[in-house]
Amino acid sequence: MENTVKTNVATQIVNQLADAGVKRIYAITGDSLNAITDTIVKDGRIKFIHMRHEESGAFAASAESQLTGKLSAVAGSSGPGHIHLINGLYDAQRSDTPVVAIASTCPASMYGTGYFQETNPILLFSNCSVYNQMAERADQVSGILHLAMQNAISKGGVGIIGLPQDIITDEISGYSTTQIPFYTNLQPEPSDEEIIKVAELINQANKVAIFAGYGAREAVNLVKEISHKLKAPVITSYKSQMELSRDMPNYIGHLAHLGMWSADEAVMNADINLILGTNFPFPGFFKPEKCNIQVDIRGERLGKKANLEMGICSDIGIFLKKLLPFIKVKLDDSFLKTALSNFGKIKEKLQIPIKNPGKEGCIRPEYMVSLLDKYLPEDGIVCVDTGMNNLWTSHYLTPKASRKMIGSFMHGSMANALPMAIGAKLSCPEKEVVALCGDGGLEMLMGELLTVVQYNLPIKIIVADNRSLGFVKWEMEAANYKPYETDLVNPDLGKVADSIGIHAETVTTPEKLEEAMKELLEYEGPALLNVMTDPDAASFTFSKELMDKSHPGNPVSNFILPGC
């Protein structure tokens, strides 16, 4: 059927986005986007969120989509505007979350001439999208936008539509009326032969370890059940621990460079590693001589980071339901007891900085996060910056009820926490949203504090002010390099926030931190807590040797006393 009602491209775009359920579009308006902005305002169904940087808008959209599971939207104007989107779009793409991005461009008639602000979106976004096409005529826009949205939803990623500014106001008619995207829920199943083979391998093994990623989050009870039958320790990724370690008796920590040596040893010593629903990015943790069995809903990920005995494309819940009746109960729990004992030693060690929370100008960040954990509502959302804050949250932020933690876990970008908190609060206004920022991360996109003020968003911002690029500093020290240009000369970030209308406080002593944390989370509007933390704190527990040898003054394993 054809729609013969005349309209223009801008109106058509807004109609399609609104009909698809898009509630907000994160952008900075200007020249090539003006017609779309004007249409959004007149239409009223979509809220235009004015960010200070397009990168922040893409981070906000990524967070909104991750939390809601629905399509979100961003836009960037010609040239520099949409180029700024790239970093945040990479985050959304690597987080497998649906975002549609409108990249307006110079006039189509000027392509290839070196025109003012001319870029090529096809080349720019080819590596951070699941769909990326340029419309060159008005009658192409509807179909391309539909495919951008449908691919983003069905494949989990970013859909790009390049939009020349000279067609945005063109009048059109006769476009297809079936332009609303459909939410799909693919649930591939394992074959009976695969289930029987997996069961045979597992039943013959003495020691089984389960590595459960974010893709197993809807099958927590089934993971728990098979762990109980197999006397198998459960290991998670950093990203999945908030969902999968909750009420998991056999949990022994998460794997990789922010993880625990208890997890590493269990994976190394197991006869079989059952790897469930993870896009784990690091090689070398699953030994090739082991029997590794990977199950993932996305078949292209099988064997990506491990040498496999079997690779099975399946929904994790369906796989475990079919497998469990064939699994024999194991009686020997010595492997599990050893793993739990190792994890217990780590947890005991991690309490040391809580009991010794620091001194003037040198507060232990572990203590800071433990207080956040204590007073944050059980359904709170924490958006965490990349770097040392990932370390503290991975060890001290515990899963409770429907608590969520999001960050740039796969892309690993700086400065993501504050803009993600903006998207989180706008999409989940009833939740307490905290941005846990590093000083370097906050300062990179500090302009978004003004966005928080402009929309009066009651976000709580906690800054670990260690006057350095802490993780980079640790990396250099660990590799026997002398840290260079890692120090930061910071203003009083509390005073900076206060000057623009955010309730703020800077805390320099551990004795005042608990009350300040309580006041922060109880404050009704936007608030910032700047905490002067220990720049040498580095509670790395992935290495048993480092943990055992930790002592004051050793910056790569400073568990016991403040280093400053």
Side-chain angles (χ1 to χ4, degrees):
M1 293 180 63
E2 296 295 317
N3 186 338
T4 58
V5 177
K6 289 189 177 294
T7 185
N8 66 22
V9 169
T11 301
Q12 176 183 309
I13 289 171
V14 173
N15 282 336
Q16 283 186 247
L17 291 173
D19 290 345
V22 170
K23 304 297 184 186
R24 282 160 289 276
I25 188 165
Y26 300 89
I28 298 176
T29 193
D31 49 38
S32 57
L33 283 179
N34 286 340
I36 293 177
T37 305
D38 183 67
T39 305
I40 287 171
V41 172
K42 291 176 179 176
D43 180 86
R45 288 177 290 170
I46 297 174
K47 177 72 173 176
F48 188 101
I49 304 299
H50 172 207
M51 306 297 290
R52 265 50 182 189
H53 197 292
E54 289 90 350
E55 176 183 349
S56 300
F59 275 129
S62 175
E64 176 177 326
S65 180
Q66 289 183 61
L67 289 167
T68 65
K70 301 296 183 182
L71 182 73
S72 63
V74 293
S77 59
S78 293
H82 63 242
I83 289 172
H84 284 163
L85 293 170
I86 287 179
N87 195 46
L89 293 182
Y90 259 100
D91 179 80
Q93 177 73 9
R94 299 207 65 195
S95 298
D96 302 325
T97 201
V99 174
V100 63
I102 298 171
S104 64
T105 70
C106 73
S109 58
M110 293 292 103
Y111 288 172
T113 68
Y115 187 76
F116 178 66
Q117 294 186 331
E118 181 185 353
T119 61
N120 187 332
I122 299 295
L123 294 178
L124 279 170
F125 299 110
S126 62
N127 199 39
C128 63
S129 60
V130 293
Y131 181 88
N132 179 19
Q133 288 296 329
M134 174 76 73
E136 296 186 9
R137 302 191 315 272
D139 61 358
Q140 293 178 302
V141 172
S142 176
I144 290 176
L145 178 57
H146 171 72
L147 289 171
M149 294 189 293
Q150 189 64 62
N151 276 268
I153 290 168
S154 295
K155 295 179 180 178
V158 176
I160 306 286
I161 174 171
L163 193 64
Q165 69 182 63
D166 55 347
I167 69 171
I168 293 177
T169 57
D170 282 359
E171 194 174 78
I172 55 172
S173 63
Y175 62 91
S176 171
T177 57
T178 55
Q179 297 304 297
I180 300 173
F182 301 96
Y183 281 83
T184 52
N185 184 21
L186 298 177
Q187 293 184 313
E189 297 190 19
S191 68
D192 292 342
E193 291 78 10
E194 287 173 320
I195 289 293
I196 291 170
K197 179 61 176 177
V198 171
E200 287 177 351
L201 290 170
I202 288 176
N203 288 334
Q204 291 169 8
N206 293 318
K207 298 178 291 186
V208 179
I210 299 170
F211 179 62
Y214 195 69
R217 66 191 182 279
E218 301 296 334
V220 173
N221 289 333
L222 293 169
V223 173
K224 188 188 305 184
E225 185 177 350
I226 195 168
S227 167
H228 177 71
K229 289 187 76 171
L230 293 174
K231 307 297 186 291
V234 175
I235 300 120
T236 66
S237 63
Y238 170 42
K239 180 177 180 178
S240 67
Q241 67 169 344
M242 195 60 65
E243 283 77 14
L244 281 152
S245 65
R246 183 187 304 124
D247 190 30
M248 185 70 69
N250 294 341
Y251 181 66
I252 61 158
H254 58 284
L255 193 65
H257 303 299
L258 299 180
M260 286 85 165
W261 60 266
S262 52
D264 191 32
E265 285 204 354
V267 166
M268 286 192 299
N269 294 328
D271 300 322
I272 288 182
N273 289 302
L274 184 59
I275 306 168
L276 303 174
T278 179
N279 191 24
F280 191 65
F282 303 108
F285 283 89
F286 298 99
K287 303 304 178 186
E289 65 272 14
K290 297 290 183 178
C291 178
N292 299 309
I293 301 171
Q294 184 179 359
V295 185
D296 203 285
I297 199 169
R298 297 179 68 161
E300 70 272 16
R301 291 178 175 165
L302 298 175
K304 188 176 179 180
K305 291 296 187 296
N307 183 52
L308 302 181
E309 180 76 20
M310 292 187 69
I312 300 165
C313 182
S314 175
D315 172 85
I316 302 303
I318 293 174
F319 169 80
L320 291 176
K321 283 180 182 177
K322 294 186 72 171
L323 178 65
L324 273 163
F326 295 91
I327 294 298
K328 297 177 182 177
V329 175
K330 293 192 184 298
L331 301 178
D332 183 356
D333 63 354
S334 57
F335 178 58
L336 174 61
K337 282 184 174 179
T338 298
L340 289 171
S341 175
N342 290 339
F343 187 46
K345 294 173 185 176
I346 293 171
K347 289 194 292 183
E348 183 178 346
K349 192 80 167 182
L350 287 173
Q351 291 305 305
I352 293 175
I354 307 301
K355 298 172 183 176
N356 299 276
K359 57 187 178 181
E360 174 75 32
C362 195
I363 299 170
R364 293 296 298 212
E366 302 95 329
Y367 178 62
M368 176 188 73
V369 177
S370 73
L371 292 176
L372 171 62
D373 184 62
K374 180 178 179 180
Y375 292 109
L376 180 71
E378 293 192 349
D379 63 349
I381 299 168
V382 176
C383 303
V384 58
D385 262 345
T386 299
M388 298 302 272
N389 280 318
N390 291 141
L391 183 61
W392 317 135
T393 52
S394 72
H395 291 158
Y396 296 96
L397 190 67
T398 57
K400 298 177 182 177
S402 56
R403 181 176 287 179
K404 297 287 185 182
M405 180 175 66
I406 57 174
S408 187
F409 299 134
M410 291 296 291
H411 186 45
S413 175
M414 283 181 66
N416 60 284
L418 180 57
M420 281 186 163
I422 291 171
K425 192 63 183 179
L426 287 167
S427 56
C428 303
E430 74 287 356
K431 304 287 188 181
E432 183 78 273
V433 175
V434 174
L436 185 56
C437 303
D439 46 359
L442 178 67
E443 289 165 0
M444 183 177 283
L445 290 173
M446 194 183 292
E448 300 312 331
L449 290 174
L450 298 169
T451 306
V452 172
V453 173
Q454 179 167 335
Y455 293 101
N456 193 30
L457 297 174
I459 293 167
K460 307 305 183 291
I461 304 158
I462 301 171
V463 187
D465 188 347
N466 63 4
R467 288 79 68 201
S468 69
L469 300 176
F471 198 86
V472 177
K473 179 182 177 182
W474 175 84
E475 285 178 321
M476 296 180 80
E477 289 173 328
N480 294 317
Y481 294 116
K482 182 178 180 180
Y484 182 72
E485 294 295 345
T486 58
D487 293 336
L488 300 175
V489 180
N490 294 337
D492 185 325
L493 294 168
K495 290 182 179 179
V496 171
D498 183 69
S499 73
I500 61 173
I502 294 177
H503 174 77
E505 180 180 1
T506 294
V507 176
T508 62
T509 61
E511 292 80 11
K512 294 183 179 180
L513 184 56
E514 183 163 9
E515 187 61 31
M517 186 70 72
K518 289 169 61 178
E519 290 178 0
L520 174 84
L521 295 174
E522 290 170 358
Y523 189 75
E524 292 186 359
L528 182 144
L529 179 61
N530 186 44
V531 184
M532 305 301 286
T533 57
D534 180 356
D536 291 323
S539 301
F540 286 82
T541 54
F542 62 81
S543 166
K544 185 177 188 298
E545 181 181 12
L546 274 180
M547 197 185 83
D548 288 343
K549 292 182 178 181
S550 61
H551 59 81
N554 180 354
V556 299
S557 56
N558 179 24
F559 280 102
I560 302 173
L561 295 172
C564 54

